[in-house]
Amino acid sequence: MKFRNFKTVPKIIFGRGSFEQLDDVLAEERQKADDFVVFAVDHIHKDRALKEQIPAQSHDMIIWIDTTHEPKTSYVDQLTEEVQAFANGKNPVSVVGLGGGSTLDMAKAISLMLTNPGGSASYQGWDLIKNPAVHHIGIPTLSGTGAEASRTTVLTGPDKKLGMNSDYTVFDQIILDPDLITGVPKEQWFYTGMDCYIHNIEALNGTYINEFARAFGEKSLNLCHEIFLEDHPDADEKLMMASYMGGQSIAYSQVGACHALSYGLSYVLGYHHGIGNCIAFDVLDDFYPEGVKIFRDMMKKHNITLPKGITQGMSEADMEKMIKVASGLAPLWENVYGTDWQEHVTPELLRSLYEKM
């Protein structure tokens, strides 16, 4: 049997106020006078205090990432070209992603596309990236997706939603500062945090589970219970670690039915990843009964009401698109059913689940 030799983030700084060390981290990368850094920052921070704390020098580039929609391959290609034009083809010494999961994924994707030819859509899949990325740093201002720890950057392309899954995708450095996630709007905090909770439920109940993944997944799940059921006073620190550990868990296992269905919702109906996962998870009692029950307890505690009837009146063409996207995620379904997953994942099953939403 051949075991996966996967890469993890090699350098991590954790703690309140640790964002202030970013300038010191970047100083190690800046070796020449014309070395520059690209800061890919969630556009919500354009009018917030964090903007003034970004340690950008006069010749650096700041990109305000539009996170209105899920990250698209066309947007990655556009921003990559802008970076190349900024310094006449010279690559930055680092790309810094500062924001939620979408922004971190965009930063990872840009750092990959600066060193790999063609468009990003051609790299949607597993281990298609050939050249190492530009040095890249992830700094979450929203926790739950695990994007800071994962080897994927999830993108919506012309005909599918699928990540660029590669060891080269993994950040070279992350800075986990709980101060940065203080004050996130309640629903956004909940939906993004539930991405982490769902990661753990899918991994721990999957056929890919092993003791490495279980160790991270169980601890992350326990932290989620403290955060979303007990109102723990250190909730920000705990959520930041739960997100990281959830990302580590799925690095050596896999997500499952909820994420497969959510990808379809996102591709066709445009739902953001966190809320899309919640909508999908709420109809998966037959797959994850205990996990769904506790999820509903969490929703009740935090007064969260999910959209209902979102697939009513949908055209047959759109329904078929969703089914196609969801059924195309072979590793996720194998994690649910095993190697004979195709006998179980029929268009009829997927249609019935989507119709419940």
Side-chain angles (χ1 to χ4, degrees):
M1 182 177 180
K2 190 173 182 179
F3 293 96
R4 283 179 55 204
N5 185 15
F6 78 94
K7 181 181 176 184
T8 58
V9 177
K11 293 186 177 181
I12 303 170
I13 303 174
F14 174 84
R16 289 192 177 273
S18 58
F19 179 62
E20 294 177 7
Q21 291 177 232
L22 175 59
D23 199 21
D24 294 336
V25 170
L26 290 173
E28 296 179 11
E29 305 304 319
R30 300 183 193 268
Q31 300 296 318
K32 300 175 183 175
D34 62 344
D35 282 347
F36 73 102
V37 173
V38 172
F39 295 89
V41 189
D42 191 320
H43 72 292
I44 65 166
H45 294 298
K46 197 169 185 177
D47 300 314
R48 296 185 180 180
L50 185 61
K51 176 183 179 181
E52 305 307 320
Q53 299 173 43
I54 299 171
Q57 298 185 5
S58 59
H59 59 294
D60 290 337
M61 181 182 190
I62 297 180
I63 301 172
W64 298 104
I65 302 292
D66 186 346
T67 56
T68 307
H69 305 291
E70 290 283 273
K72 291 182 170 59
T73 55
S74 57
Y75 192 32
V76 170
D77 297 342
Q78 173 197 325
L79 295 183
T80 301
E81 289 173 5
E82 289 179 13
V83 173
Q84 290 168 331
F86 179 79
N88 296 318
K90 175 182 166 68
N91 279 338
V93 293
S94 187
V95 175
V96 179
L98 183 60
S102 292
T103 302
L104 297 185
D105 279 352
M106 288 296 297
K108 288 192 280 190
I110 292 167
S111 69
L112 288 166
M113 295 314 301
L114 286 170
T115 57
N116 287 275
S120 54
S122 62
Y123 296 104
Q124 287 181 281
W126 280 266
D127 300 305
L128 300 176
I129 295 288
K130 301 302 180 187
N131 302 316
V134 166
H135 181 274
H136 49 304
I137 300 172
I139 308 172
T141 62
L142 187 63
S143 279
T145 67
E148 66 277 13
S150 76
R151 72 188 297 275
T152 188
T153 167
V154 181
L155 302 173
T156 301
D159 54 12
K160 59 191 169 187
K161 179 179 176 181
L162 186 62
M164 292 194 287
N165 296 272
S166 163
D167 281 352
Y168 296 132
T169 309
V170 178
F171 281 114
D172 297 291
Q173 167 89 55
I174 58 175
I175 298 177
L176 306 177
D177 184 345
D179 282 344
L180 298 182
I181 66 172
T182 302
V184 172
K186 181 69 171 288
E187 286 196 347
Q188 190 176 22
W189 169 82
F190 183 85
Y191 291 140
T192 308
M194 284 301 100
D195 189 18
C196 175
Y197 173 76
I198 293 166
H199 279 162
N200 297 322
I201 297 297
E202 290 178 308
L204 292 169
N205 290 279
T207 65
Y208 284 19
I209 194 61
N210 52 75
E211 289 308 313
F212 184 99
R214 194 190 308 278
F216 283 105
E218 286 182 346
K219 180 60 178 178
S220 180
L221 186 60
N222 289 340
L223 289 171
C224 287
H225 287 170
E226 291 183 26
I227 297 157
F228 295 103
L229 292 175
E230 299 173 18
D231 291 332
H232 199 282
D234 296 324
D236 289 343
E237 287 93 332
K238 288 181 179 292
L239 181 55
M240 200 153 248
M241 286 314 302
S243 177
Y244 172 77
M245 288 183 169
Q248 284 288 81
S249 177
I250 59 172
Y252 216 59
S253 58
Q254 188 54 269
V255 287
C258 178
H259 275 72
L261 292 164
S262 175
Y263 278 26
L265 288 178
S266 175
Y267 182 74
V268 176
L269 295 178
Y271 278 98
H272 278 257
H273 188 63
I275 189 172
N277 275 344
C278 289
I279 292 168
F281 197 64
D282 197 41
V283 305
L284 294 178
D285 305 73
D286 292 341
F287 290 76
Y288 313 108
E290 182 64 18
V292 172
K293 177 181 177 295
I294 294 172
F295 166 71
R296 290 180 183 142
D297 291 341
M298 292 174 173
M299 281 203 299
K300 184 176 180 181
K301 178 175 176 58
H302 294 283
N303 299 312
I304 300 296
T305 302
L306 290 176
K308 295 288 185 182
I310 63 170
T311 60
Q312 287 181 3
M314 172 178 281
S315 71
E316 180 60 24
D318 281 346
M319 176 62 78
E320 288 180 0
K321 273 187 202 171
M322 286 206 305
I323 291 170
K324 181 180 179 183
V325 169
S327 63
L329 296 158
L332 281 63
W333 291 114
E334 185 172 322
N335 189 41
V336 177
Y337 289 110
T339 53
D340 64 343
W341 66 270
Q342 287 174 302
E343 296 177 19
H344 303 273
V345 184
T346 62
E348 291 74 25
L349 171 70
L350 298 176
R351 182 183 296 272
S352 70
L353 291 169
Y354 279 130
E355 286 177 346
K356 289 180 181 178
M357 301 178 196

